[in-house]
């Protein structure tokens, strides 16, 4: 976190004597940039100050102040803390210059801010809705937008509290469904918007071609066996070659952020489980970290809890990567067999999660200031057995079966290449970034928890193709096992949570951005507190979502069958992509 | 030939056991169907991961003859709605259901598919797939464990056992009605609401103005 005195004397203020001021609200950090200087500011930030990695872009609706704020978190790809800058615009007509020309990774995030908050980004090449559909009424994350089942502004709702009368939300709605229409809606004079705009952007015909060929637009998904859930890719094909590709998402948009802003802080932890549902423990950590940052020194995590957090997060990474390798091989056409090997190990780790937290997948294990409960008897021995005996052996076995396989190599090598410059520009994170030769790992670049105590290498590969993205997952599993071995050896005795567990807590007003190196990449949580029991703004920087920005670049020029494995190599989970 | 196929009360000579069965047509028909209910390869959210885990070696869906997941609805018998049904996705789900040939079954796996689950209040979430499709089995859980899913599928098999060729809907006269595909408008529009749409809209708007006045 940047020091306030540092902000006041920051060389950026000298470089921009006008239009850039430090953010002086209590609990806030960074700079406020005038909207007309934003592009110039960002260019200087990238080229002169070395902040070349734009991690997160999001909007905040400050309804009482009549303002919309766009918050940017930029990092140096060589490591270090964040530089936060913000743009404030009036709420009635929020227009902000787009940063896609400076940081292409802002593309989807700006579209999301337009979709959910109605902030228009001038100069954005493709400012369409991204999570909701074209034609949806309103921008749901605005504070004055109310959903069909709206009950109260903040939880806990009176009806759920002791003494309240619980009712079914359907009974209150005239349609008996979760729907609400604008009052002036006339079903007779109305036609759906549909996907015409989407297809129009994808149909392009070459003019000076001798041979008369026609390009075809093909939909892959949302129901498709290889898209890892309800993801849709619309591709323009020239023969079998992908000319253009546009990802369409939102088919699993579960309104995580809107619900999160009605919830109390504690209620959000189980919801984070369901973001990236393969790695719930890491999600917990990201959110808990953001709130702990807000709480400051009001809370200290006990030593044993810190170790348990690392242990669970690294097990999660193994579970996730092993699953990713299994599904990648599925996409390659090895129908279910490698998956069976992968799932066998996954089940053993899930047994540990179940013993520790009570649930196989949705662990809900982290708490502010520690973890929910201590290890039950017998689990420690089980973990030792896995980490020291079984897993290293099984990973070598997987390696032996797959890595030198002729089909795997032929299909994966040189396919879907992403150069290091592109990877940084597109804000790719995690294995995708590191497989392109950028050794950036939040655990090392901006250490959190107790990761600075462990010996491990940041896995990095240099070709940036699908094969390297497969190899790097094997590397990372091996590094995770290394960390786990050290953590299990050093695990101290003691408390697992700071103080007694509390249901509701006062979080001081301010903002915090907590980020962890999740298995999919940098998972960030941006939380704004207004001092009440519920967060004012709750935003998730989802690595699966932002990694997809680079998908169309990776696929262009490759065959359509390769687009499937390129998507598989990014390893997305739709719960996190769409939130 | 398994014993379960035999109707009770008929003695089969020992030398003919396992080769001959005396049974009813219903029993034979259902016996064939219960062990070859192919699910559609169709995952929506978190529950789909537990579905994959169920199909894998530890729990092994193949014991029930259900291991053949079909990506095409035309070849599938069971639709496992495994996860949160969103408004943006529900037109596709209804279309997939319409494309499945009879006999077809719908299993709502997990809290979300059964009734909206933890995300029910969300603006893009359908409060359970039964708002649109006829559901045969509901499996609680968030997500249901593989054991729970297997139990639900066994319940589905039991349900199949009780059906009779005489009364099943797909052997009745006339065409089976298709479920109208919902439309994405300013919000999700169910075509079945059209008859009294304006009335309900006016009612909703009247309630709102009333609230604001009071």
């Amino acid at each position: 976190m940047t020091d306030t005195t540092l902000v006041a004397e920051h060389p950026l203020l000298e470089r921009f004597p006008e239009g850039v001021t430090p953010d002086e609200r209590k609990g806030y950090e960074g700079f406020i940039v005038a909207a007309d200087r934003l592009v110039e500011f960002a260019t200087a930030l990238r080229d002169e100050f070395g902040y070349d990695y734009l991690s997160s872009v999001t909007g905040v609706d400050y309804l009482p102040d009549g303002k919309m704020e766009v918050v940017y978190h930029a990092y140096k790809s060589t490591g270090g803390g964040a530089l936060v800058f913000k743009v404030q615009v009036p709420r009635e007509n929020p227009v902000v210059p787009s940063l896609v020309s400076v940081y292409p990774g802002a593309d989807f995030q700006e579209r999301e801010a337009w979709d959910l908050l109605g902030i228009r980004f001038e100069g954005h090449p493709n400012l369409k809705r991204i999570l909701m559909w074209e034609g949806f009424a309103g921008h749901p994350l605005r504070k004055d937008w109310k959903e069909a089942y709206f009950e109260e502004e903040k939880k806990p709702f009176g009806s759920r509290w002791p003494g309240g009368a619980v009712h079914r939300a359907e009974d209150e709605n005239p349609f008996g469904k979760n729907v609400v229409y604008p009052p002036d809606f006339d079903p007779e004079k109305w036609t759906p918007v549909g996907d015409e705009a989407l297809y129009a952007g994808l149909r392009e015909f070459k003019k000076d071609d001798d041979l008369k060929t026609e390009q075809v637009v093909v939909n892959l998904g949302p129901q498709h066996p290889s898209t890892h859930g309800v993801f849709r890719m619309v591709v323009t094909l020239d023969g079998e070659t992908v000319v253009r590709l546009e990802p369409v998402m939102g088919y699993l948009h579960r309104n995580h952020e809107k619900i999160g802003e009605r919830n109390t802080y504690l209620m959000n932890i189980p919801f984070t489980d369901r973001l990236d549902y393969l790695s719930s423990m890491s999600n917990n950590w990201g959110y808990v970290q953001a709130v702990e940052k807000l709480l400051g020194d009001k809370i200290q995590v006990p030593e044993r809890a810190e170790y348990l957090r690392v242990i669970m997060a690294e097990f999660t990474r193994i579970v996730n990567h092993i699953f990713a390798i299994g599904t990648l091989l599925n996409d390659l056409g090895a129908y279910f067999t490698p998956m069976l090997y992968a799932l066998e190990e996954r089940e053993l780790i899930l047994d540990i999660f179940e013993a520790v937290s009570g649930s196989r997948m949705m662990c809900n294990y982290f708490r502010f200031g520690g973890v929910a409960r201590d290890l039950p008897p017998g689990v420690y021995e089980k973990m030792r057995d896995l980490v020291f005996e079984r897993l290293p052996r099984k990973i070598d076995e997987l390696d032996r079966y797959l890595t030198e396989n002729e089909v795997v190599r032929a299909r994966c090598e040189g396919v879907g290449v992403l150069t290091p410059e592109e990877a940084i520009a597109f804000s790719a994170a995690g294995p995708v970034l590191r497989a392109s030769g950028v050794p950036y790992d939040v655990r090392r670049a901006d250490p959190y928890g107790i990761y600075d105590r462990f010996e491990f290498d940041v896995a990095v590969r240099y070709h940036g193709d699908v094969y390297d993205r497969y190899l790097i997952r094997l590397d990372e599993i091996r590094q995770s096992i290394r960390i786990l071995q050290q953590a299990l050896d050093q695990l101290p005795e003691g408390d697992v949570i700071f103080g007694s567990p509390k249901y509701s807590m006062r979080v001081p007003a301010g903002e915090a951005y907590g980020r962890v190196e999740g298995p999919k990449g940098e998972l960030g949580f941006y939380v704004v507190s207004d001092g009440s029991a519920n967060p004012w703004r709750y935003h998730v920087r989802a690595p699966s979502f932002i990694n997809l920005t680079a998908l169309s670049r990776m696929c262009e020029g490759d065959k359509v069958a390769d687009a499937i494995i390129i998507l598989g190599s990014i390893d997305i989970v739709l719960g996190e992509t769409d939130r | 030939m398994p014993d379960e196929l035999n109707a009770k009360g008929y003695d089969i000579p020992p030398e003919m056991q396992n080769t001959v069965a005396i049974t009813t047509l219903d029993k034979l028909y259902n016996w064939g169907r219960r062990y070859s209910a192919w699910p559609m390869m169709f995952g929506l959210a978190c529950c789909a991961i537990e579905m994959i885990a169920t199909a894998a070696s530890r729990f092994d869906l193949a014991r029930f003859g259900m291991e053949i997941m079909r990506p095409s609805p035309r070849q599938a018998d069971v639709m496992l709605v495994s996860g949160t049904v969103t408004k943006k996705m529900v037109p596709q789900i209804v279309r997939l259901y319409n494309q499945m040939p009879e006999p077809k079954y719908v299993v709502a796996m997990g809290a979300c598919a059964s009734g909206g689950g933890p995300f029910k209040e969300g603006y893009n979430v359908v409060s359970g797939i039964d708002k649109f499709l006829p559901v045969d089995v509901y499996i609680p859980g968030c997500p249901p464990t593989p054991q729970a899913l297997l139990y639900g599928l066994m319940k589905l098999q039991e349900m199949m056992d009780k059906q009779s060729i005489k009364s099943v809907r797909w052997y009745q006269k006339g065409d089976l009605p298709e479920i109208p595909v919902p439309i994405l408008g300013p919000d999700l529009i169910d075509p079945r609401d059209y008859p009294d749409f304006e009335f309900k809209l006016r009612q909703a708007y009247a309630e709102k103005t009333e609230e604001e006045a009071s």
Side-chain angles (χ1 to χ4, degrees):
Chain A
M1 210 177 258
T2 9
D3 205 340
T4 34
T5 49
L6 275 178
V7 168
E9 290 161 14
H10 202 281
L12 262 170
L13 293 172
E14 242 169 71
R15 171 75 173 72
F16 290 95
E18 272 169 53
V20 178
T21 47
D23 190 349
E24 277 157 353
R25 289 170 291 178
K26 199 170 179 299
Y28 285 75
E29 57 173 323
F31 304 94
I32 294 177
V33 183
D36 53 341
R37 304 294 296 271
L38 180 69
V39 177
E40 191 194 340
F41 178 84
T43 313
L45 206 60
R46 184 191 64 181
D47 298 339
E48 295 166 31
F49 292 85
Y51 286 93
D52 50 356
Y53 185 84
L54 185 71
S55 161
S56 155
V57 181
T58 187
V60 188
D61 178 7
Y62 287 103
L63 179 66
D65 306 337
K67 270 184 205 155
M68 279 280 179
E69 189 176 277
V70 183
V71 187
Y72 302 85
H73 285 81
Y75 289 90
K76 290 176 181 167
S77 61
T78 47
L83 192 127
V84 191
F85 56 103
K86 295 149 194 181
V87 177
Q88 292 184 335
V89 282
R91 207 169 166 278
E92 284 69 49
N93 184 26
V95 184
V96 175
S98 166
L99 282 190
V100 176
S101 57
V102 186
Y103 298 107
D107 185 350
F108 285 4
Q109 304 185 64
E110 286 184 353
R111 276 176 71 185
E112 187 196 320
W114 156 246
D115 185 359
L116 301 183
L117 282 155
I119 300 168
R120 220 144 30 79
F121 290 89
E122 224 160 38
H124 190 288
N126 187 19
L127 196 64
K128 287 198 301 261
R129 281 184 183 268
I130 189 161
L131 295 178
M132 301 306 287
W133 59 89
E134 228 31 79
F136 181 76
H139 301 285
L141 271 185
R142 288 190 168 216
K143 287 284 172 186
D144 50 1
W145 194 94
K146 300 216 169 29
E147 55 269 50
Y149 283 169
F150 174 77
E151 198 173 329
E152 270 174 59
E153 214 47 79
K154 304 214 149 163
K155 281 182 193 169
F157 295 150
S159 63
R160 304 294 158 117
W161 209 236
V166 179
H167 60 269
R168 289 171 75 236
E170 286 95 324
D171 301 337
E172 312 273 300
N173 190 301
F175 292 92
K177 292 190 190 78
N178 187 6
V179 287
V180 60
Y181 304 99
D184 53 351
F185 176 60
D186 185 353
E188 307 221 321
K189 291 181 191 145
W190 167 88
T191 45
V193 180
D195 282 339
E196 273 69 38
L198 169 71
Y199 294 137
L202 284 160
R203 279 196 196 100
E204 265 182 18
F205 299 101
K206 278 183 274 175
K207 278 181 188 147
D208 43 285
D209 231 7
D210 291 339
L211 193 68
K212 199 168 171 289
T213 57
E214 199 174 328
Q215 297 183 340
V216 197
V217 179
V218 177
N219 272 307
L220 299 169
Q223 149 63 8
H224 191 275
S226 69
T227 51
H228 297 243
V230 283
F231 181 67
R232 174 175 165 207
M233 295 189 282
V234 191
V235 287
T236 311
L237 294 180
D238 183 6
E240 267 196 70
T241 312
V242 177
V243 183
R244 298 186 65 184
L245 181 145
E246 194 167 328
V248 184
M249 48 197 108
Y251 294 99
L252 192 56
H253 179 45
R254 305 192 272 199
N255 332 116
H256 191 85
E257 293 178 9
K258 186 83 179 175
I259 296 175
E261 285 166 20
R262 299 225 190 285
N263 280 349
T264 63
Y265 285 96
L266 189 69
M267 282 178 187
N268 271 336
I269 298 178
F271 279 90
T272 62
D273 287 336
R274 286 153 182 84
L275 276 173
D276 172 358
Y277 33 76
L278 285 171
S279 36
S280 61
M281 295 277 200
S282 299
N283 305 341
N284 283 179
W285 200 351
Y287 173 62
V288 164
Q289 196 196 51
V291 177
E292 278 171 1
K293 267 189 184 173
L294 275 173
L295 287 165
D297 11 313
K298 275 167 85 178
I299 211 159
Q300 272 109 30
V301 185
E303 196 77 340
R304 186 174 171 84
E306 289 277 22
Y307 274 93
L308 286 177
R309 284 180 173 189
V310 170
I311 291 168
M312 293 309 159
E314 294 308 318
F315 268 128
T316 303
R317 196 179 315 276
I318 297 174
V319 166
N320 180 78
H321 284 353
I322 220 164
F323 202 88
I325 292 170
T327 44
L328 176 66
L329 266 290
N330 255 7
D331 294 345
L332 279 168
Y335 178 55
F336 206 56
T337 317
M339 195 72 178
L340 290 175
Y341 282 83
L343 285 172
E344 200 183 341
E345 305 315 307
R346 179 175 178 265
E347 287 291 333
L348 295 173
I349 300 178
L350 291 195
D351 282 349
I352 290 175
F353 287 169
E354 191 172 7
V356 164
S357 71
S359 175
R360 284 157 52 87
M361 278 169 67
M362 307 305 176
C363 299
N364 186 14
Y365 184 55
F366 286 47
R367 292 289 182 275
F368 309 123
V371 293
R373 43 188 94 71
D374 208 344
L375 301 177
V379 170
Y380 180 78
E381 291 70 33
K382 228 178 186 178
M383 293 200 289
R384 275 198 84 90
D385 180 48
L386 259 184
V387 167
F388 286 91
E389 299 292 330
R390 188 180 166 109
L391 279 177
R393 202 155 36 85
K394 286 290 172 178
I395 299 307
D396 288 347
E397 188 186 78
L398 209 62
D399 191 0
R400 206 163 57 241
Y401 290 157
L402 302 176
T403 307
E404 292 305 318
N405 182 300
E406 220 177 303
V407 180
V408 172
R409 292 195 68 149
R411 286 288 310 276
C412 295
E413 280 179 337
V415 170
V417 177
L418 194 68
T419 64
E421 293 79 23
E422 282 171 343
I424 292 173
F426 280 115
S427 302
V432 179
L433 182 66
R434 289 191 288 275
S436 290
V438 184
Y440 189 84
D441 187 318
V442 182
R443 291 174 295 174
R444 268 286 145 76
D446 189 8
Y448 55 95
I450 49 164
Y451 272 113
D452 45 357
R453 295 188 202 171
F454 299 110
E455 254 180 53
F456 67 98
D457 301 320
V458 174
V460 60
R461 296 267 170 176
Y462 297 95
H463 296 104
D465 55 3
V466 173
Y467 192 59
D468 273 12
R469 285 195 280 276
Y470 152 72
L471 285 177
I472 202 149
R473 295 208 161 88
L474 277 182
D475 295 346
E476 284 189 13
I477 294 176
R478 294 205 167 101
Q479 295 304 327
S480 290
I481 293 175
R482 247 177 101 185
I483 297 174
L484 280 168
Q485 291 178 342
Q486 295 169 48
L488 285 176
D489 275 338
Q490 297 166 14
L491 182 67
E493 292 297 317
D495 288 340
V496 294
I497 191 157
F498 175 76
S500 56
K502 283 183 268 318
Y503 176 70
S504 178
M505 59 195 341
R506 287 275 149 213
V507 177
E511 58 166 6
Y513 183 63
R515 56 178 196 153
V516 294
E517 184 66 38
K520 307 265 189 310
E522 181 189 328
L523 176 68
F525 284 82
Y526 178 69
V527 181
V528 175
S529 163
D530 60 351
S532 70
N534 312 61
W536 178 260
R537 179 81 177 96
Y538 166 69
H539 172 71
V540 186
R541 185 242 187 245
S544 313
F545 176 64
I546 295 162
N547 283 352
L548 283 174
T549 322
L551 177 68
S552 92
R553 172 63 55 91
M554 285 191 237
C555 291
E556 275 162 23
D558 279 319
K559 300 277 185 261
V560 65
D562 293 336
I564 305 289
I565 58 165
I566 293 170
L567 180 72
S569 76
I570 299 179
D571 182 23
I572 58 163
V573 155
L574 265 296
E576 187 179 75
T577 307
D578 295 343
R579 282 155 288 146
Chain B
M1 206 163 274
D3 242 7
E4 62 178 295
L5 197 56
N6 265 319
K8 273 179 204 139
Y10 295 97
D11 286 335
I12 299 184
E15 70 271 21
M16 291 176 87
Q17 268 169 14
N18 295 327
T19 37
V20 168
I22 297 172
T23 185
T24 61
L25 197 53
D26 270 344
K27 223 169 179 182
L28 186 69
Y29 178 69
N30 292 334
W31 173 75
R33 291 190 311 130
R34 91 194 301 266
Y35 290 119
S36 61
W38 291 358
M40 188 155 73
M41 196 185 214
F42 172 64
L44 289 177
C46 333
C47 290
I49 306 296
E50 284 299 52
M51 191 172 81
I52 295 170
T54 313
S57 47
R58 192 187 206 177
F59 300 100
D60 198 7
L61 214 48
R63 292 180 292 157
F64 302 87
M66 293 178 182
E67 79 279 21
I68 308 175
M69 298 248 182
R70 299 277 83 186
S72 164
R74 312 266 182 210
Q75 302 164 338
D77 304 301
V78 182
M79 183 192 240
L80 281 165
V81 184
S82 53
T84 316
V85 182
T86 63
K87 290 180 187 171
K88 198 168 175 177
M89 190 62 195
V90 77
Q92 276 82 342
I93 298 176
V94 172
R95 197 166 290 146
L96 286 167
Y97 178 80
N98 285 338
Q99 286 173 356
M100 283 168 70
E102 292 279 6
K104 55 187 169 187
Y105 300 90
V106 179
V107 175
M109 180 185 180
C112 291
S114 303
F119 299 97
K120 182 178 176 180
E121 64 196 280
Y123 49 85
N124 192 27
V125 176
V126 174
S127 321
I129 190 62
D130 56 0
K131 292 270 186 291
F132 292 92
L133 307 183
V135 176
D136 298 293
V137 177
Y138 296 88
I139 306 173
C142 188
T145 55
Q147 292 91 332
L149 175 60
L150 290 178
Y151 182 71
L153 292 172
M154 280 152 72
K155 283 279 157 202
L156 184 72
Q157 289 184 329
E158 280 173 27
M159 196 183 136
M160 287 178 182
D161 288 342
K162 285 181 194 139
Q163 288 180 314
S164 165
I165 298 177
K166 269 188 288 184
S167 57
V168 287
R169 65 170 183 268
W170 52 91
Y171 287 136
Q172 306 303 312
K173 277 200 182 114
D175 290 335
L176 286 164
E178 280 205 347
I179 292 173
V181 178
I183 307 159
L184 295 177
D187 206 326
L188 190 73
I189 300 173
D190 188 347
R192 291 173 298 187
D193 279 342
Y194 267 147
D196 49 359
F197 195 89
E198 286 212 61
F199 170 73
K200 281 176 179 169
L201 196 68
R202 248 180 283 125
Q203 189 189 343
Y205 189 52
E207 271 171 24
K208 216 178 224 173
T209 40
E210 215 169 87
E211 259 173 44
E212 272 162 23
S214 68

